[in-house]
Structure formats: structure tokens, C-alpha cells
Amino acid sequence: MAILGRIPVEFGAVFPHGVFATGPAEPLENFDTKRQDTDKENGLPVWVVDVYDADPAAGHKASAIRVKVAAQVCPVLPDPSYGPFRPVEFGGLTVTPYVEETGRRPRVAYSFRAREVRPASGGAGKAGRASGDKAAA
């Protein structure tokens, strides 16, 4: 069986230490049309949330991640609680692997999408992460 498209994953399996949003959600601009991009599966506008993976073993470059959220209205993030950082988690998280070619050696990269973004349950630690997506379903 071939896996095509987005692969559903649980938030806690991908980010066991959680993530921190660094600013408000912003519209994802389509490079060609200069308008807000829409999700190919459901036609909803796409918003981008920039986050940092809280895993201490993640390298600096690997910890900066953009998660795309398809939603009719801009997701509202919680107020900052650690300087500019907002602990959040994502419901309906999917991952799509792809080959990134930057002129150097190609590498496997990942595109993350979600149905929703919400305040992290259990603070910035691991508490409540493994079952987080089940509560939203």
C-alpha cells in the first residue's frame, strides 16, 4: 500500500516536549498570485504559525518550524507566557515528507499542517500531550 498525501500524526508523538509559538498566526501568501493561499483539500484559507520545538536535543535550525493551519478565520493564539513564547499544540496534525533541494545535498524535510491550534494542555512539559488530539476529535 502506498501512502499518498498527508499522514495523520498525534501531536505528542511528533513534539513530545511541546512547541512554542513566537508570534501571531499570519496568512500564507501564494507566491504566484500574491493572495492568501487556500487548502487544496477543503478550500479554507491557510494561516501559518511559526513555532520552536521545545526538544532540547533538536538542533537550532531544526527547531524552527512553520505549521500551516486551514481555518475560515485567523487562529487566535494564547497570550505570551515566557517572554515572547506561547505554548501551543495542534489538533488534526498531519505531516508530509518531501525532498528539499537547496543546491547542496538533498535532504528529507517535513511539511506540517493542522486543523486547529490551541493553548498547550499541561503547560510547556509533556503532561497531556499524548492524548491531546483525541480530546479535540
PDB file of all heavy atoms in Angstrom, residues 117-131:
ATOM      1  N   VAL A 117      -5.209  25.176  16.238  1.00  0.00           N
ATOM      2  CA  VAL A 117      -4.143  25.478  17.188  1.00  0.00           C
ATOM      3  C   VAL A 117      -4.829  25.929  18.471  1.00  0.00           C
ATOM      4  O   VAL A 117      -5.831  26.634  18.432  1.00  0.00           O
ATOM      5  CB  VAL A 117      -3.164  26.544  16.639  1.00  0.00           C
ATOM      6  CG1 VAL A 117      -3.867  27.829  16.299  1.00  0.00           C
ATOM      7  CG2 VAL A 117      -2.036  26.809  17.606  1.00  0.00           C
ATOM      8  N   ARG A 118      -4.291  25.466  19.614  1.00  0.00           N
ATOM      9  CA  ARG A 118      -4.913  25.778  20.899  1.00  0.00           C
ATOM     10  C   ARG A 118      -3.824  25.923  21.961  1.00  0.00           C
ATOM     11  O   ARG A 118      -2.692  25.479  21.751  1.00  0.00           O
ATOM     12  CB  ARG A 118      -5.896  24.675  21.274  1.00  0.00           C
ATOM     13  CG  ARG A 118      -5.260  23.306  21.360  1.00  0.00           C
ATOM     14  CD  ARG A 118      -6.286  22.210  21.634  1.00  0.00           C
ATOM     15  NE  ARG A 118      -5.654  20.916  21.648  1.00  0.00           N
ATOM     16  CZ  ARG A 118      -5.750  20.006  20.677  1.00  0.00           C
ATOM     17  NH1 ARG A 118      -6.477  20.248  19.615  1.00  0.00           N
ATOM     18  NH2 ARG A 118      -5.133  18.846  20.778  1.00  0.00           N
ATOM     19  N   PRO A 119      -4.177  26.521  23.107  1.00  0.00           N
ATOM     20  CA  PRO A 119      -3.199  26.600  24.201  1.00  0.00           C
ATOM     21  C   PRO A 119      -2.765  25.193  24.609  1.00  0.00           C
ATOM     22  O   PRO A 119      -3.563  24.253  24.572  1.00  0.00           O
ATOM     23  CB  PRO A 119      -3.970  27.270  25.335  1.00  0.00           C
ATOM     24  CG  PRO A 119      -5.096  27.987  24.670  1.00  0.00           C
ATOM     25  CD  PRO A 119      -5.442  27.169  23.453  1.00  0.00           C
ATOM     26  N   ALA A 120      -1.505  25.056  24.974  1.00  0.00           N
ATOM     27  CA  ALA A 120      -0.984  23.750  25.374  1.00  0.00           C
ATOM     28  C   ALA A 120      -1.647  23.282  26.659  1.00  0.00           C
ATOM     29  O   ALA A 120      -1.827  24.059  27.587  1.00  0.00           O
ATOM     30  CB  ALA A 120       0.525  23.824  25.556  1.00  0.00           C
ATOM     31  N   SER A 121      -2.007  22.021  26.676  1.00  0.00           N
ATOM     32  CA  SER A 121      -2.535  21.436  27.906  1.00  0.00           C
ATOM     33  C   SER A 121      -1.354  20.969  28.737  1.00  0.00           C
ATOM     34  O   SER A 121      -0.391  20.431  28.223  1.00  0.00           O
ATOM     35  CB  SER A 121      -3.461  20.261  27.592  1.00  0.00           C
ATOM     36  OG  SER A 121      -2.758  19.258  26.894  1.00  0.00           O
ATOM     37  N   GLY A 122      -1.380  21.230  30.022  1.00  0.00           N
ATOM     38  CA  GLY A 122      -0.292  20.795  30.888  1.00  0.00           C
ATOM     39  C   GLY A 122       0.939  21.672  30.819  1.00  0.00           C
ATOM     40  O   GLY A 122       2.016  21.221  31.127  1.00  0.00           O
ATOM     41  N   GLY A 123       0.790  22.911  30.351  1.00  0.00           N
ATOM     42  CA  GLY A 123       1.935  23.825  30.304  1.00  0.00           C
ATOM     43  C   GLY A 123       2.899  23.458  29.210  1.00  0.00           C
ATOM     44  O   GLY A 123       2.538  22.909  28.196  1.00  0.00           O
ATOM     45  N   ALA A 124       4.177  23.739  29.434  1.00  0.00           N
ATOM     46  CA  ALA A 124       5.194  23.526  28.410  1.00  0.00           C
ATOM     47  C   ALA A 124       5.791  22.132  28.459  1.00  0.00           C
ATOM     48  O   ALA A 124       6.566  21.773  27.606  1.00  0.00           O
ATOM     49  CB  ALA A 124       6.309  24.559  28.575  1.00  0.00           C
ATOM     50  N   GLY A 125       5.425  21.326  29.445  1.00  0.00           N
ATOM     51  CA  GLY A 125       6.007  19.990  29.573  1.00  0.00           C
ATOM     52  C   GLY A 125       5.254  18.952  28.792  1.00  0.00           C
ATOM     53  O   GLY A 125       4.446  19.240  27.918  1.00  0.00           O
ATOM     54  N   LYS A 126       5.488  17.693  29.150  1.00  0.00           N
ATOM     55  CA  LYS A 126       4.895  16.579  28.427  1.00  0.00           C
ATOM     56  C   LYS A 126       3.460  16.284  28.853  1.00  0.00           C
ATOM     57  O   LYS A 126       2.754  15.584  28.158  1.00  0.00           O
ATOM     58  CB  LYS A 126       5.717  15.315  28.658  1.00  0.00           C
ATOM     59  CG  LYS A 126       7.111  15.384  28.112  1.00  0.00           C
ATOM     60  CD  LYS A 126       7.788  14.060  28.383  1.00  0.00           C
ATOM     61  CE  LYS A 126       9.256  14.115  28.075  1.00  0.00           C
ATOM     62  NZ  LYS A 126       9.920  12.870  28.372  1.00  0.00           N
ATOM     63  N   ALA A 127       3.026  16.752  29.984  1.00  0.00           N
ATOM     64  CA  ALA A 127       1.716  16.382  30.530  1.00  0.00           C
ATOM     65  C   ALA A 127       0.594  16.667  29.557  1.00  0.00           C
ATOM     66  O   ALA A 127       0.470  17.741  29.021  1.00  0.00           O
ATOM     67  CB  ALA A 127       1.461  17.130  31.836  1.00  0.00           C
ATOM     68  N   GLY A 128      -0.222  15.666  29.285  1.00  0.00           N
ATOM     69  CA  GLY A 128      -1.402  15.833  28.451  1.00  0.00           C
ATOM     70  C   GLY A 128      -1.129  15.833  26.963  1.00  0.00           C
ATOM     71  O   GLY A 128      -2.033  15.970  26.177  1.00  0.00           O
ATOM     72  N   ARG A 129       0.091  15.625  26.529  1.00  0.00           N
ATOM     73  CA  ARG A 129       0.394  15.721  25.106  1.00  0.00           C
ATOM     74  C   ARG A 129      -0.016  14.487  24.323  1.00  0.00           C
ATOM     75  O   ARG A 129      -0.484  14.591  23.227  1.00  0.00           O
ATOM     76  CB  ARG A 129       1.884  15.970  24.908  1.00  0.00           C
ATOM     77  CG  ARG A 129       2.319  17.227  25.549  1.00  0.00           C
ATOM     78  CD  ARG A 129       2.945  18.113  24.524  1.00  0.00           C
ATOM     79  NE  ARG A 129       3.384  19.321  25.178  1.00  0.00           N
ATOM     80  CZ  ARG A 129       2.794  20.471  25.038  1.00  0.00           C
ATOM     81  NH1 ARG A 129       1.745  20.590  24.278  1.00  0.00           N
ATOM     82  NH2 ARG A 129       3.221  21.531  25.659  1.00  0.00           N
ATOM     83  N   ALA A 130       0.216  13.311  24.857  1.00  0.00           N
ATOM     84  CA  ALA A 130      -0.037  12.105  24.086  1.00  0.00           C
ATOM     85  C   ALA A 130      -1.504  11.941  23.721  1.00  0.00           C
ATOM     86  O   ALA A 130      -1.828  11.422  22.675  1.00  0.00           O
ATOM     87  CB  ALA A 130       0.434  10.872  24.862  1.00  0.00           C
ATOM     88  N   SER A 131      -2.407  12.413  24.545  1.00  0.00           N
ATOM     89  CA  SER A 131      -3.824  12.254  24.254  1.00  0.00           C
ATOM     90  C   SER A 131      -4.458  13.556  23.789  1.00  0.00           C
ATOM     91  O   SER A 131      -5.671  13.629  23.645  1.00  0.00           O
ATOM     92  CB  SER A 131      -4.555  11.747  25.493  1.00  0.00           C
ATOM     93  OG  SER A 131      -4.432  12.671  26.538  1.00  0.00           O
TER      94      SER A 131
END
